[in-house]
């Protein structure tokens, strides 16, 4: 009989305070955020210390953890102030920092003792001896490189006891993380200091030069296909039991730049899968609706990366892209009156009477309906909700809860 | 003391490089080392080590690959072998290898070389405290940064003064995948001399190939710091590395001898603008015609990079 020795943590990205709250509300056990310094997503909404404190207070109330990514590969000019930064993170109660640069690891260990350190995937940890090295250095957890296979995870688990974290969903670097400086060379933006310009997803010619200065293009396909290095996204939705059985402590969703709609949906789905499996692993049956739900917010095709083999051409974005049915976040429930079945909703995108909409909430609750009537805040009937963030009321078929989300097909 | 370190593609070339006056050769096997001009067999590496000892030179072996479990398993005997033939140092970029060196009590000195990741004095000092006798600076560092790094570390940093520089490594077979998608059957190894160019900036061409470590892409310009050696001297940077991955055979040996000549001129106090220009002209003549030369990030200001 299968027994679950340890239920893994579901770790979600939170680019902003609002996303942090939604991720936790929708089932994340922990979130990772970026500060205004040392993070790799310079364009994501990054947290000030005050915002971190507010996020932490919310997280503690819901028994969730907050990690801060400080995963840049620092140059001389970046290092000053790092010690103070880590001390501040420790003192406000951040649960761990995610670091890849040994320079920052050392500064953190020396100047902010007591603040747990997780090795970022950026450091490309791919073997058990590397994990043993970092364990002896006092690190608490290693985020595995995305190139590690499930079989390798099994072996790593047998040969080391440091905590393991692995990516289960989201966009991926197609290179070894940290070993790509295309962006530095092609657009003067340092990929390892938050400036990645995603050069891998650009279009390239591929050629040989049999004679000097005579390019002989090797592009092929009908119609002609550019050379590109664009990876599809990862989804391990059908393989969560593999991680749990191999003792991975933390399952990570990528995407500090992703929307509330995305973060809440993906967290909600994986929460379900983890709970259902851990509740009764013997009788666990995969539900197609979980996967269907992920497609509603998917941005690219989905695949399993390196977990079950070296990715072939089907895990890259070639050819004409299929239009993925995508949904748009149109409203958030603020309140619900059980007696009248009237929900108060904050508009997030345009919708009108007659729209087919879907509500979803934590615990994987779903309901579908057509919008029959709408009122503005004063109770005047309206046809459409077309002002950003306006408050409207509508009659709903099934009960909803505050923070439930209303969406519709694009 | 300036040291010229050059990659060697064969026993014969190692011979010629030593005769040309280089101080150390850098060799390796693709299973364990990254992007060597040739993947040498153990016997060849042993012979080169023997040669180095006879000629009172040094040999450095590449063990800087990103290792997965299977390789970390296989590497212990390889490290034993390198130690037994008297390799002077190895390059390492994977913390797992450092852990093994320690665990197996091997006395192989290591030079930290995690390629693009080696960007600060603090980071190098972290590895020095854990036994590193040197470090290979990332090619993305500017002169200003290199100088500041060397000032703050107690070991010599290696700076590449000549040759191609890798800017990308993926474990995926990206060229093979492309060929499969477009239904072509073509080899993808470095001997094919394949290039990429951006649609939007077609002038620049980037070498690309595949080997056991995945897909590798190189900068559009090969490095040539011959015109700026005085800056290296001023920064007290003494380990000058030449990479011959795309400059094969005799021309590479000739280019190495030019750097040896420069080193001698500097040490004998007869380095001048004219001498430098003369050597640089010769270097350009020996450099492969289909490859551009440049200074990479060396002359850029740190603030130019966002």
């Amino acid at each position: 009989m299968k027994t679950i020795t340890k239920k893994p943590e579901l770790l979600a990205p939170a680019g902003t305070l609002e996303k942090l709250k939604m991720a936790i509300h929708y089932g994340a056990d922990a979130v990772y955020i970026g500060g205004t310094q040392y993070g790799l997503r310079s364009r994501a909404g990054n947290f000030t210390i005050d915002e971190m404190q507010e996020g932490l207070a919310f997280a503690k109330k819901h028994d969730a953890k907050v990690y801060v990514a400080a995963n840049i590969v620092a140059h001389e000019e970046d290092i000053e102030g790092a010690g103070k930064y880590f001390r501040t993170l420790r003192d406000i109660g951040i649960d761990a920092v995610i670091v890849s640069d040994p320079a920052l690891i050392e500064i953190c260990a020396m100047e902010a003792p007591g603040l747990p350190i997780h090795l970022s995937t950026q450091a490309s940890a791919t073997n058990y001896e590397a994990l043993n090295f970092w364990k002896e250095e006092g690190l608490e957890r290693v985020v595995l490189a995305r190139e590690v296979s499930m079989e390798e995870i099994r072996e790593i688990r047998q040969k080391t006891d440091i905590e393991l974290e692995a990516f289960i969903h989201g966009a991926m670097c197609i290179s070894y993380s940290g070993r790509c400086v295309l962006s530095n060379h092609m657009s003067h933006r340092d990929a390892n200091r938050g400036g990645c310009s995603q050069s891998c997803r650009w279009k390239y010619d591929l050629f040989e030069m049999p004679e000097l200065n005579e390019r002989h293009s090797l592009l092929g396909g009908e119609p002609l296909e550019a050379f590109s290095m664009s990876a599809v996204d990862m989804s391990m939705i059908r393989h969560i039991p593999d991680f749990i059985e191999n003792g991975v402590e933390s399952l990570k969703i990528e995407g500090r730049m992703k929307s509330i709609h995305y973060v809440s949906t993906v967290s909600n789905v994986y929460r379900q899968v983890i709970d259902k499996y851990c509740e009764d692993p013997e009788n666990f049956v995969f539900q197609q609706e979980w996967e269907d739900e992920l497609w509603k917010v998917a941005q690219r095709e989905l695949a399993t990366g390196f977990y079950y083999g070296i990715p072939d051409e089907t895990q890259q974005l070639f050819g004409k892209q299929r239009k993925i049915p995508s949904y748009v976040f149109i409203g958030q429930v603020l309140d619900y009156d059980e007696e009248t079945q009237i929900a108060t909703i904050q508009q997030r995108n345009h919708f009108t009477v007659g729209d087919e909409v879907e509500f979803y909430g934590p615990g994987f609750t779903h309901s579908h309906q057509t919008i029959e009537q709408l009122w503005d805040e004063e109770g005047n009937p309206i046809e459409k909700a077309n002002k950003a963030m306006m408050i409207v009321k509508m009659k709903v078929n099934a009960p909803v809860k505050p923070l439930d989300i209303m969406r519709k097909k694009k | 003391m300036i040291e010229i370190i050059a990659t060697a593609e064969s026993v014969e070339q190692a011979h010629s490089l030593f005769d040309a006056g280089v101080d150390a050769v850098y060799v390796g096997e693709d299973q364990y080392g990254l992007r060597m001009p040739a993947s040498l067999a153990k016997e060849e590496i042993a012979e080169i080590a023997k040669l180095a000892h006879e000629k009172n030179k040094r040999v450095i072996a590449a063990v800087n690959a990103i290792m997965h479990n299977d390789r970390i398993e296989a590497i212990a005997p390889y490290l034993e072998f390198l130690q037994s033939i008297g390799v002077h140092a190895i390059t390492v970029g994977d913390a797992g290898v450092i852990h093994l060196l320690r665990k197996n009590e091997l006395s192989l000195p290591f030079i930290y070389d995690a390629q693009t990741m080696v960007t600060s004095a603090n980071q190098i000092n972290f590895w020095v405290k854990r036994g590193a006798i040197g470090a290979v600076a990332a090619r993305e560092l500017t002169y200003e940064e290199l100088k500041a790094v060397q000032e703050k570390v107690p070991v010599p940093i290696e700076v590449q003064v000549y040759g191609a520089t890798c800017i990308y490594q993926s474990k995926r077979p990206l060229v093979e995948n492309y060929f499969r998608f477009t239904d072509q059957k073509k080899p993808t190894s470095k001997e094919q001399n394949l290039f990429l160019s951006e649609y939007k900036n077609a002038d620049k061409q980037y070498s690309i190939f595949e080997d056991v470590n995945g897909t590798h892409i190189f900068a559009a310009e090969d490095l040539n710091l011959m015109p700026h050696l005085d800056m290296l001297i001023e920064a007290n940077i003494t380990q000058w590395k030449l990479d011959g991955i795309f400059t094969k055979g005799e021309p590479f040996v000739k280019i190495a001898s030019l750097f040896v000549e420069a080193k001698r001129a500097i040490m004998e106090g007869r380095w001048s603008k004219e001498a430098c220009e003369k050597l640089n002209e010769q270097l350009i003549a020996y450099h492969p015609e289909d490859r551009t030369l440049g200074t990479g990030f060396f002359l850029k200001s740190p603030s130019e990079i966002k």
Side-chain angles (χ1 to χ4, degrees), chain B residues 72-234:
Chain B
I72 208 80
E73 196 84 36
I75 206 163
Y78 187 67
L79 293 172
E80 298 267 358
F81 158 74
L82 293 176
Q83 180 174 284
S84 75
I85 61 167
V87 157
H88 296 83
I90 57 174
T91 57
V92 176
D94 190 314
V97 177
I98 296 167
H99 188 75
L100 266 182
L101 286 172
R102 212 184 271 167
K103 197 167 97 178
N104 296 350
E105 295 176 352
L106 294 166
S107 57
L108 267 179
F110 75 90
I111 297 164
Y112 191 68
D113 180 14
Q115 301 280 306
T116 54
M117 307 290 279
V118 188
T119 52
S120 72
N122 283 67
Q123 188 191 136
I124 293 170
N125 283 329
F126 176 95
W127 298 108
V128 170
K129 284 178 205 156
R130 283 142 188 93
I133 59 154
V136 183
R139 279 70 169 170
E140 288 68 36
L141 293 185
T142 62
Y143 173 69
E144 205 176 301
E145 291 168 324
L146 289 168
K147 189 164 186 272
V149 168
Q150 186 60 81
E151 271 168 22
K152 295 183 210 162
V153 303
V155 296
I157 59 168
E158 268 182 33
V159 167
Q160 189 177 337
V161 293
Y162 173 79
T165 61
C166 179
I167 61 174
Y168 180 92
Q169 184 189 350
S170 171
K171 190 175 163 66
R172 301 182 191 223
L174 296 171
V175 184
E176 192 188 321
N177 284 353
Y178 175 79
F179 284 149
R180 256 205 308 269
F181 181 79
T182 54
D183 216 8
Q184 308 184 63
K185 273 202 183 68
K186 288 197 159 66
T188 59
S189 69
K190 64 174 169 273
E191 288 68 34
Q192 303 309 310
N193 227 5
L194 301 177
F195 294 92
L196 295 181
S197 66
E198 282 174 61
Y199 269 24
K200 286 182 180 163
N201 190 0
D203 289 348
K204 290 190 173 174
Q205 47 197 42
Y206 304 84
S207 284
I208 182 168
F209 70 81
E210 292 175 6
D211 64 14
V212 293
N213 293 302
T215 306
H216 312 270
I217 301 174
F218 290 74
E221 288 179 346
D222 291 350
L223 278 174
N224 172 26
L225 297 188
M226 181 66 87
H228 308 289
L229 297 178
D230 49 343
M231 292 169 77
L232 291 178
I233 299 295
E234 190 183 321

Side-chain angles (χ1 to χ4, degrees), chain A residues 108-364:
Chain A
C108 182
M110 304 275 284
E111 305 214 15
L115 176 59
I117 303 172
H118 297 173
L119 187 73
S120 162
T121 195
Q122 206 69 12
S124 293
T126 50
N127 65 74
Y128 53 84
E129 294 295 13
L131 272 69
N132 285 328
F133 175 91
W134 291 113
K135 183 178 160 69
E136 284 184 13
E137 291 293 336
L139 269 59
E140 185 174 90
R141 178 187 290 186
V142 168
V143 187
L144 294 168
R146 277 169 273 210
E147 287 74 13
V148 171
S149 72
M150 195 57 80
E151 199 42 50
E152 287 170 338
I153 292 181
R154 186 194 310 277
E155 197 182 357
I156 286 172
R157 179 69 301 158
Q158 286 162 359
K159 296 187 174 173
T160 166
D161 55 4
I162 194 167
E163 281 183 14
L164 303 179
E165 179 176 309
F167 278 94
I168 55 168
H169 198 90
M172 289 173 285
C173 280
I174 195 162
S175 67
Y176 274 109
S177 295
R179 299 300 180 97
C180 169
V181 285
L182 291 180
S183 183
N184 304 49
H185 288 261
M186 293 177 178
S187 42
H188 274 183
R189 300 177 59 91
D190 191 342
N192 284 334
R193 285 187 290 171
C196 176
S197 53
Q198 302 214 23
S199 308
C200 59
R201 299 198 192 269
W202 298 354
K203 289 182 171 175
Y204 296 90
D205 188 11
L206 172 67
F207 56 89
E208 53 192 0
M209 286 208 295
E211 302 287 332
L212 187 62
N213 295 327
E214 202 176 290
R215 292 183 181 182
H216 173 207
S217 178
L218 298 174
L219 294 189
E222 187 64 54
L224 199 70
E225 182 72 26
F227 180 85
S228 174
M229 301 172 275
S230 198
V232 304
D233 289 351
M234 177 195 286
S235 176
M236 292 298 285
I237 183 67
R238 290 178 174 270
H239 307 280
I240 292 304
D242 279 359
F243 289 104
I244 301 176
E245 283 162 27
N246 288 320
V248 178
E249 276 89 355
S250 179
L251 306 181
K252 184 174 208 164
I253 299 164
E254 178 277 344
R256 280 196 281 133
M257 313 266 284
K258 299 286 203 293
S259 66
I260 285 174
H261 181 208
Y262 182 94
V263 171
S264 60
T265 301
V266 177
S267 302
N268 207 9
V269 170
Y270 282 100
R271 176 79 278 148
Q272 275 298 297
V273 183
I274 294 167
D275 287 351
K276 290 287 182 240
Y277 180 75
C278 291
E279 217 169 83
D280 187 1
E282 287 288 309
N283 298 305
F284 174 80
V285 183
F286 183 79
Q287 305 295 315
Q288 183 57 40
E289 59 176 358
W290 295 331
E291 187 175 325
D292 295 345
E293 185 74 3
L294 291 176
W295 283 110
K296 292 178 185 171
V297 291
Q299 295 172 324
R300 302 187 181 96
E301 296 296 330
L302 299 170
T304 55
F306 281 85
Y307 286 119
Y308 304 105
I310 303 282
D312 63 11
E313 72 277 15
T314 62
Q315 294 211 32
Q316 283 180 242
L317 291 167
F318 287 131
K320 196 171 183 301
Q321 293 307 305
R322 165 175 84 106
K323 206 170 170 234
I324 297 169
S326 92
Y327 283 67
V328 54
F329 172 25
I330 53 174
Q332 187 170 34
V333 176
L334 298 180
D335 197 15
Y336 172 68
D337 185 328
E338 239 170 279
E339 249 167 62
T340 59
Q341 285 184 290
I342 301 275
T344 309
I345 288 166
Q346 183 182 54
Q347 189 261 29
R348 294 302 183 98
N349 240 309
H350 190 265
F351 57 89
T352 67
V353 169
D355 279 350
E356 296 284 338
V357 299
E358 178 189 347
F359 286 94
Y360 68 92
F364 213 66

